[in-house]
Amino acid sequence: MSRSAYVAHVEKENCVACGRCVEYCPAGAVKLGQKLCKADGSEVQYPKQELPDAVKWGPEKWDTDYRDNNRINVHETGTAPCKTACPAHIAVQGYLKKASQGKYTEALALIKKQNPFPAVCGAICNRRCEDACTRGKVDEAIAIDAVKKFIAEQDLKADTRYVPPIIVPGNRGRWKEKIAIIGAGPAGLSAAYYLAERGYYPTVFEKHEKPGGMLRYGIPSYKLDKAVIDAEIDIMREMGVDIRCGVEVGKDITLDQLRAEGYKAFYIAIGCSGGGRPNVPNDTADGTLTAVDYLGEANCGGASYTGRVVVIGGGNVAIDSARVSARNGASKVTLFCLESEKEMPAAPKEVADAISDGVSVNNSWGPKEVLVDENGKVKGIVMKKCLSVFNEEHRFSPVYDEENTQVIDCERVIFATGQKIVWGDLVNGTKVQFGRGNGPVADKLTYQTDEPDIFVGGDVYTGPKFAIDAIAAGHFAAESLHRYVQGGHMTIGRNRWEFKELNKDDLSLESYDRAPRQEAGIDTSLPKTSFADYHLTLTEEQVKKETSRCLGCGASIVDSNKCIGCGVCTTKCAFDAIHLHRDHPECSEMTTAEDKFKKILPYQLKRMGKIITHKKVEH
């Protein structure tokens, strides 16, 4: 009949909007908001739960979806842009703070709550957090990815590496239910990691000789050292993940056979391992390759080729193919893409690096025909001018000038014009439905297909994206797999991982310093033909300087009217930023049952007066 005497309070100077309190609050009383003042110097005012002591409380006031609404992460006015922009919603502000204090293992633990591949992402992430960083409104964004790389490297070099604790909600040991993951790419391994953290012993089936998927077979080693991938996967094995390579499910073993072995759920994360071709004459001639196949063979070097190479495509995969060709000894590498320089999907830095490696980049050209000699081997390619790539609705619909052409002499053509799913016999005989691009149809929240025990995720579901997207998908899928094998409801009370960034145009930022962004250098001693990773790491001194540039945008906000004083939030905070305060000592007063009406009746009279007054004020 009484609320708790205690209410949680956030100390904003310590809070880093990591969101742990939000995730665990059973009442939905904590949401993420902002710490920074608005442009006019005022603070954002946050709504509070209406209380029944001043209004009539009927069914219209009930929240029938409270279990879902209590899982809303952020206020409508938004929170830290870095956490919002990251597909995995890593607590960026939190690990920057830990790094600034020299607590690198704690920083790593915070990262791994959302991303089991910090060292990998430190090397190849596309850094959407930095694109969104509020510091960019002052001068330059925080070098978030470079700090993450430094944190991860401290662990890689440590005598004893950090292994996340296994959290099992019970005293009967780890879960016995068997879960199979098909595909050892970033999505599959991420799902395995978070299932293991929950207490499962997941099994990963991978058709290649080694795990890693496109991380290993698609990304050049001068960008991502394969030893880094192995080091990240070692931790997963330590946690109990069983990785079986050289096993193609659907060929070497079927889903039905796995079911017979006791597997209760399947997560298909096979990616898009097939390369696309542009459907022009002779595009399968001897001397043509898809970028996926070429990079799988040549991304670590050792695939010497001295002929002339033409690469077709404007994305990062095309750039990688061109640079790998150049580093493998091609006498000339020319890249053509449909897009203009501004429209190219490849990152500007990637394009600049390719040009530095000697690649000639040509915009607004598309393939018309591959030329072959009398033996059917490539001898050149005809390119036609592309006038536009997208229509008025911004859909892919290229328009060409068929008369404006040029012939490029070459002995090899690499097509980086898309990727496709290679299903084989994997889902034969199942109820899995297929949609656009032969992709599986699944629930957008749970990833569950029409075959109840089959879930999908990563590139096989979304189409080709970045590693961090696949990592996030694997994390979220682990929740679905856990709920399914335990017979739980697939959606009720589930964290949707939906965030909204604060309004960066309505902030007071004049008083901040102008400390320059710290940059990691490159190893200039390596030759341009080397496949060794030439990217250096920030020094510890640089990390201290860089982390001090963080504006600390976000903070947790407690609705004191919803807080039940349980204190769970205080046990989860790693920053000593949230504490219980005895705001309502009167709620600690006890009354015997015999005297209860001595308290209830005066309260009811007082409440009726408030309701009448409240109505008068409203009208």
Side-chain angles (χ1 to χ4, degrees):
M1 294 188 65
S2 173
R3 64 169 297 162
S4 171
Y6 292 89
V7 176
H9 289 254
V10 174
E11 296 180 13
K12 285 190 176 181
E13 63 274 14
N14 293 338
C15 183
V16 294
C18 69
R20 299 292 287 164
C21 54
V22 179
E23 292 173 42
Y24 283 94
C25 178
V30 194
K31 290 183 176 66
L32 293 180
Q34 73 183 61
K35 188 185 301 184
L36 302 178
C37 291
K38 297 198 292 184
D40 61 6
S42 65
E43 292 189 358
V44 175
Q45 298 300 307
Y46 294 99
K48 287 192 174 185
Q49 171 66 47
E50 188 178 37
L51 294 177
D53 66 336
V55 294
K56 287 186 177 180
W57 205 262
E60 72 280 1
K61 299 289 186 181
W62 301 347
D63 182 3
T64 55
D65 296 323
Y66 72 94
R67 286 175 293 187
D68 289 333
N69 291 335
N70 283 357
R71 298 272 61 81
I72 295 174
N73 289 290
V74 63
H75 280 286
E76 280 298 315
T77 50
T79 189
C82 52
K83 185 175 179 70
T84 302
C86 175
H89 305 298
I90 300 170
V92 174
Q93 198 177 319
Y95 76 73
L96 291 179
K97 174 65 76 174
K98 289 293 185 184
S100 73
Q101 299 168 345
K103 299 176 180 178
Y104 304 126
T105 300
E106 292 182 28
L108 182 75
L110 200 56
I111 296 170
K112 286 204 164 189
K113 288 291 182 186
Q114 306 296 126
N115 179 2
F117 288 102
V120 167
C121 288
I124 53 96
C125 191
N126 66 323
R127 307 174 185 178
R128 275 171 267 183
C129 54
E130 294 185 21
D131 292 338
C133 180
T134 308
R135 181 75 195 209
K137 300 288 288 185
V138 177
D139 41 37
E140 292 184 277
I142 307 296
I144 297 168
D145 203 46
V147 174
K148 178 164 74 252
K149 182 180 180 181
F150 173 87
I151 293 167
E153 284 199 2
Q154 304 316 298
D155 182 62
L156 297 182
K157 295 174 182 177
D159 294 332
T160 302
R161 296 187 59 199
Y162 171 73
V163 179
I166 308 302
I167 309 298
V168 183
N171 59 1
R172 297 182 180 180
R174 295 177 68 158
W175 300 107
K176 303 301 186 292
E177 289 81 4
K178 298 172 72 173
I179 299 175
I181 294 165
I182 302 162
L189 291 174
S190 176
Y193 175 95
Y194 289 107
L195 285 169
E197 190 180 49
R198 283 179 177 269
Y200 291 92
Y201 289 105
T203 304
V204 182
F205 296 93
E206 169 57 50
K207 69 178 182 179
H208 289 102
E209 294 179 3
K210 293 183 178 181
M214 283 298 175
L215 297 178
R216 183 181 301 277
Y217 294 104
I219 299 176
S221 58
Y222 57 77
K223 292 168 68 174
L224 176 60
D225 193 313
K226 308 312 177 199
V228 171
I229 304 172
D230 292 333
E232 303 268 47
I233 293 172
D234 284 344
I235 297 299
M236 299 178 188
R237 288 192 168 107
E238 187 75 18
M239 294 169 68
V241 176
D242 180 13
I243 303 175
R244 302 180 187 179
C245 292
V247 180
E248 183 175 347
V249 179
K251 179 181 178 182
D252 302 314
I253 192 169
T254 66
L255 293 177
D256 282 339
Q257 287 173 316
L258 290 173
R259 289 187 182 102
E261 292 181 13
Y263 286 92
K264 302 299 183 184
F266 304 90
Y267 181 54
I268 297 177
I270 58 174
C272 298
S273 59
R277 294 176 186 261
N279 194 29
V280 298
N282 301 318
D283 67 357
T284 60
D286 186 3
T288 63
L289 295 163
T290 66
V292 173
D293 292 336
Y294 176 65
L295 290 173
E297 298 170 1
N299 78 77
C300 291
S304 178
Y305 182 78
T306 57
R308 294 167 294 183
V309 177
V310 168
V311 178
I312 307 297
N316 288 331
V317 174
I319 294 292
D320 287 342
S321 299
R323 295 185 69 192
V324 168
S325 296
R327 288 173 180 250
N328 272 312
S331 58
K332 184 179 181 181
V333 181
T334 310
L335 183 145
F336 290 92
C337 65
L338 300 177
E339 299 86 358
S340 66
E341 184 177 350
K342 290 183 179 180
E343 292 174 324
M344 282 185 77
K349 186 178 185 305
E350 295 284 335
V351 177
D353 287 344
I355 294 172
S356 177
D357 281 354
V359 176
S360 172
V361 177
N362 300 267
N363 299 98
S364 302
W365 291 93
K368 183 172 185 177
E369 178 186 5
V370 177
L371 303 177
V372 297
D373 61 19
E374 61 276 9
N375 297 316
K377 293 185 176 181
V378 172
K379 69 174 185 179
I381 186 168
V382 181
M383 304 300 298
K384 56 186 177 181
K385 189 68 176 176
C386 181
L387 302 178
S388 64
V389 181
F390 305 102
N391 61 20
E392 293 179 355
E393 298 174 346
H394 203 70
R395 292 182 178 178
F396 183 74
S397 182
V399 176
Y400 299 99
D401 180 352
E402 299 287 347
E403 303 303 317
N404 187 355
T405 64
Q406 60 174 314
V407 177
I408 310 299
D409 295 328
C410 62
E411 292 75 44
R412 173 179 283 180
V413 176
I414 300 173
F415 295 113
T417 52
Q419 295 170 231
K420 58 186 179 181
I421 304 166
V422 181
W423 285 105
D425 297 327
L426 175 56
V427 293
N428 285 2
T430 71
K431 297 176 183 177
V432 175
Q433 300 293 313
F434 300 96
R436 185 178 178 183
N438 204 30
V441 176
D443 184 90
K444 292 182 179 180
L445 175 63
T446 67
Y447 302 124
Q448 189 174 32
T449 67
D450 286 354
E451 188 73 58
D453 64 352
I454 295 180
F455 298 76
V456 294
D459 288 0
V460 73
Y461 179 58
T462 63
K465 283 194 170 186
F466 294 93
I468 189 63
D469 294 285
I471 289 166
H475 183 193
F476 305 153
E479 170 77 11
S480 293
L481 293 162
H482 169 65
R483 285 178 176 238
Y484 177 77
V485 300
Q486 297 303 328
H489 196 282
M490 297 302 295
T491 62
I492 290 178
R494 184 179 180 130
N495 191 337
R496 261 65 172 176
W497 297 105
E498 294 172 347
F499 294 82
K500 181 180 180 181
E501 76 168 38
L502 52 78
N503 183 1
K504 290 182 287 189
D505 294 324
D506 187 19
L507 296 174
S508 177
L509 298 173
E510 291 96 7
S511 62
Y512 289 96
D513 64 85
R514 295 295 189 271
R517 174 182 164 115
Q518 300 297 304
E519 298 286 355
I522 61 172
D523 188 346
T524 55
S525 67
L526 293 172
K528 284 197 172 182
T529 55
S530 173
F531 276 81
D533 188 351
Y534 58 88
H535 302 91
L536 300 178
T537 307
L538 294 176
T539 65
E540 188 166 19
E541 183 181 354
Q542 284 181 302
V543 167
K544 299 291 185 189
K545 291 179 180 178
E546 190 60 21
T547 53
S548 70
R549 297 179 64 239
C550 179
L551 302 181
C553 306
S556 294
I557 308 296
V558 177
D559 182 343
S560 58
N561 288 352
K562 290 188 76 174
C563 179
I564 59 175
C566 66
V568 170
C569 55
T570 67
T571 69
K572 300 302 178 182
C573 182
F575 298 87
D576 195 33
I578 190 164
H579 302 93
L580 291 181
H581 291 252
R582 196 163 180 257
D583 289 356
H584 302 284
E586 70 280 3
C587 293
S588 298
E589 295 178 13
M590 306 298 289
T591 302
T592 61
E594 293 80 4
D595 296 328
K596 61 184 178 184
F597 289 109
K598 294 179 181 178
K599 295 289 185 179
I600 293 174
L601 293 176
Y603 171 78
Q604 288 285 48
L605 292 171
K606 182 179 179 182
R607 178 172 178 260
M608 288 177 64
K610 284 185 178 180
I611 292 172
I612 294 170
T613 305
H614 185 72
K615 283 186 176 180
K616 286 181 179 178
V617 170
E618 283 184 342
H619 295 290

